[in-house]
Amino acid sequence: MRIARRAILSFSKLKSEESPAKFSRFAKGQQHLIETIENGVKNLDRSLPTVWIHASSLGEFGISRPIIKALKEKYGCNIVMTFFSPTGYEAVSKNHPDIDCVFYLPFDTSKNAKRFLDAVQPDCAVFMVSEYWHTYLYQLKKRGIPTFLVSAVIRDDSAFFKWYGDLYRKSISYFKQVFVLDKRSKENLLKLNITNAVVNGDPLFDNVRVVASTPWKDELVERFKGDRKIFLAGSIHNDEDLEMISHLVNTHKDIRFIIVPHETRKETLRNIESAIEGNVKFYTECEKDTDFTDTQVLVIDFVGALAYLYRYATWAYVGGGFTKLLHSIIEPAVYGMPVAFGPNIHRKAIAREMIDLGIGKSVSTFPELDAWFRSLKQSPEKLKEISDLAADYVIKNTGSTPRVVAKIGEVLCSKN
């Protein structure tokens, strides 16, 4: 029965990945994974404490990034990072100076969990957002390894309160501390007799401020932009997103667009190119002397630069809002720009807050998106107002990272 439940959890997550190509990459990454991890951690400096951080994908990694940076600077510890999704693993494994080892998370079985923990030997573990891998959490608790959950949201209709939620309820009870995003989540955990929750806010706000203040430039993008304003469509996720953005591109031929798809499969890139009437160029096919004179759209056909690319834009659309997977709308907001996104936001507190402030706009149809864009296109006064509101909103929500790091630091210091 326990194995069956673990399988249900694992395959429900795999189903949420949606793309067969992504599943294929995930399956390939699981091959001989435990042996890869056992070999990969051999060079860790065992005189230093080790922190294991797990995130589902690249979005959740954004939340952990300021935590990782602060832990590395303050404690000089080993950071072992794991991902469930290829999107996160592939982007971070290529280059991240603050992380010592990056792996996929092996399947949630007793054998895998034991071998993983034997190899990594973490002094503590940090899980991001909604990662409730029961066997890993059980083994961590059994071994006395303090484990933290960061940026959790416990809703009234969540699995914890369902008839099938026994495994979820047991899993969350294994955490030493649960950092939740809002008061309602803490109240819901109290209903489950979980008394170690702290309302802390979202480290993602700290991360976007770090990214925005980091010196970064791209000469090719700067040449494409020139002296024009840019509309950036980030994390374009599915057909609905593409339909909205392609209509906007084809309607506003006087505006240059940067499109950053969530996935860079050939089929995805072909669909983007075929949906757009104007001249399209792909970043990886451009040279340093490429002529962008007649180019309306630049497609970023690689992963990992989106949070930095927003600095070149004046308006933004963020994908995933026609599914349950709306991507980060704080990343463009930190640069002081208005942000549009799809309508599936009833569980997205940040989206609702940004709409109330006038920073964000939920759109269900192209006419809605077009009307929103036209109202801002020639309105520098409105853009200045939104910029001020966005900057104030981000600043008011920063500061959660130090509290998380302090709690982890208590564990690390007690090990010395």
Side-chain angles (χ1 to χ4, degrees):
M1 183 64 176
R2 287 183 178 179
I3 293 175
R5 286 177 173 179
R6 289 199 296 271
I8 290 171
L9 286 176
S10 297
F11 284 110
S12 67
K13 283 181 173 284
L14 285 176
K15 183 179 179 181
S16 73
E17 292 292 316
E18 297 183 350
S19 164
K22 187 179 288 186
F23 175 81
S24 177
R25 280 149 40 212
F26 171 85
K28 184 177 180 180
Q30 288 288 323
Q31 295 176 7
H32 310 295
L33 179 54
I34 286 292
E35 291 83 357
T36 298
I37 293 170
E38 289 171 338
N39 291 325
V41 298
K42 286 181 179 179
N43 293 326
L44 291 178
D45 183 351
R46 291 303 183 178
S47 67
L48 300 173
T50 297
V51 179
W52 168 32
I53 298 180
H54 175 67
S56 175
S57 189
L58 194 57
E60 290 79 6
F61 171 70
I63 301 171
S64 70
R65 188 184 323 203
I67 297 172
I68 292 169
K69 183 177 179 62
L71 285 172
K72 203 71 174 178
E73 290 176 351
K74 193 166 185 177
Y75 301 104
C77 50
N78 299 313
I79 301 291
V80 175
M81 188 86 206
T82 57
F83 288 97
F84 181 82
S85 166
T87 306
Y89 172 80
E90 291 168 359
V92 177
S93 62
K94 292 175 183 176
N95 179 38
H96 199 287
D98 292 326
I99 298 176
D100 298 277
C101 298
V102 182
F103 306 110
Y104 280 108
L105 181 71
F107 281 121
D108 188 35
T109 67
S110 180
K111 182 179 180 180
N112 283 347
K114 290 176 182 178
R115 287 183 65 181
F116 177 88
L117 294 175
D118 286 344
V120 175
Q121 300 174 43
D123 292 284
C124 71
V126 184
F127 285 31
M128 309 308 299
V129 186
S130 58
E131 292 298 278
Y132 307 112
W133 295 105
H134 180 75
T135 310
Y136 282 101
L137 290 169
Y138 171 74
Q139 285 295 327
L140 287 161
K141 181 73 172 180
K142 184 178 180 181
R143 296 176 185 222
I145 301 172
T147 306
F148 302 88
L149 180 63
V150 176
S151 290
V153 176
I154 312 300
R155 300 182 182 86
D156 298 352
D157 61 349
S158 68
F160 297 101
F161 302 105
K162 305 295 185 181
W163 63 267
Y164 55 81
D166 179 60
L167 202 62
Y168 286 94
R169 292 188 287 269
K170 287 182 180 178
S171 296
I172 203 165
S173 72
Y174 296 143
F175 288 104
K176 176 181 176 65
Q177 187 96 67
V178 179
F179 294 97
V180 296
L181 292 185
D182 52 34
K183 183 179 178 181
R184 186 65 176 178
S185 294
K186 182 176 181 178
E187 293 171 349
N188 281 335
L189 285 176
L190 285 173
K191 296 176 185 177
L192 302 174
N193 295 318
I194 304 296
T195 59
N196 60 350
V198 175
V199 179
N200 186 55
D202 196 338
L204 190 56
F205 284 94
D206 298 304
N207 179 59
V208 297
R209 288 196 71 191
V210 169
V211 171
S213 63
T214 300
W216 189 90
K217 63 184 298 184
D218 188 294
E219 293 182 1
L220 191 148
V221 173
E222 289 182 355
R223 285 197 300 104
F224 170 73
K225 180 181 186 300
D227 58 358
R228 302 191 184 200
K229 293 179 179 179
I230 295 290
F231 189 111
L232 196 154
S235 296
I236 298 307
H237 189 87
N238 55 11
D239 292 342
E240 288 87 350
D241 285 333
L242 179 56
E243 182 177 359
M244 297 279 274
I245 292 304
S246 61
H247 281 330
L248 199 67
V249 173
N250 295 336
T251 302
H252 297 271
K253 297 183 183 298
D254 58 321
I255 297 295
R256 287 194 169 181
F257 288 77
I258 293 177
I259 297 179
V260 186
H262 180 57
E263 291 187 353
T264 57
R265 293 181 297 150
K266 290 182 179 179
E267 180 184 356
T268 301
L269 300 177
R270 284 196 301 268
N271 289 342
I272 293 173
E273 187 174 27
S274 63
I276 293 170
E277 297 171 359
N279 189 359
V280 178
K281 283 187 170 63
F282 295 95
Y283 185 101
T284 60
E285 296 177 0
C286 295
E287 305 290 343
K288 61 181 180 180
D289 58 349
T290 296
D291 183 4
F292 292 114
T293 303
D294 298 322
T295 304
Q296 186 189 7
V297 177
L298 178 64
V299 177
I300 308 299
D301 52 346
F302 64 91
V303 176
L306 176 57
Y308 297 93
L309 287 166
Y310 280 120
R311 67 187 61 197
Y312 290 115
T314 301
W315 316 273
Y317 174 94
V318 174
F322 285 90
T323 72
K324 297 179 180 180
L325 302 172
L326 176 64
H327 296 275
S328 175
I329 57 177
I330 310 174
E331 287 180 351
V334 72
Y335 295 104
M337 72 181 74
V339 186
F341 38 82
N344 195 351
I345 58 166
H346 64 284
R347 295 185 176 185
K348 306 292 183 180
I350 291 174
R352 295 195 301 272
E353 290 173 358
M354 287 177 57
I355 290 171
D356 291 342
L357 289 170
I359 305 167
K361 176 65 175 178
S362 173
V363 292
S364 300
T365 64
F366 169 68
E368 290 179 355
L369 176 62
D370 187 51
W372 169 82
F373 181 50
R374 288 181 185 276
S375 71
L376 297 169
K377 189 175 177 181
Q378 302 296 336
S379 179
E381 298 83 8
K382 185 65 174 177
L383 287 174
K384 177 63 168 62
E385 179 185 344
I386 290 173
S387 180
D388 293 342
L389 288 169
D392 185 59
Y393 174 65
V394 173
I395 289 171
K396 284 182 177 179
N397 283 280
T398 55
S400 61
T401 295
R403 293 187 286 271
V404 174
V405 171
K407 283 295 182 181
I408 297 172
E410 291 175 7
V411 171
L412 300 183
C413 290
S414 69
K415 298 287 183 178
N416 293 335

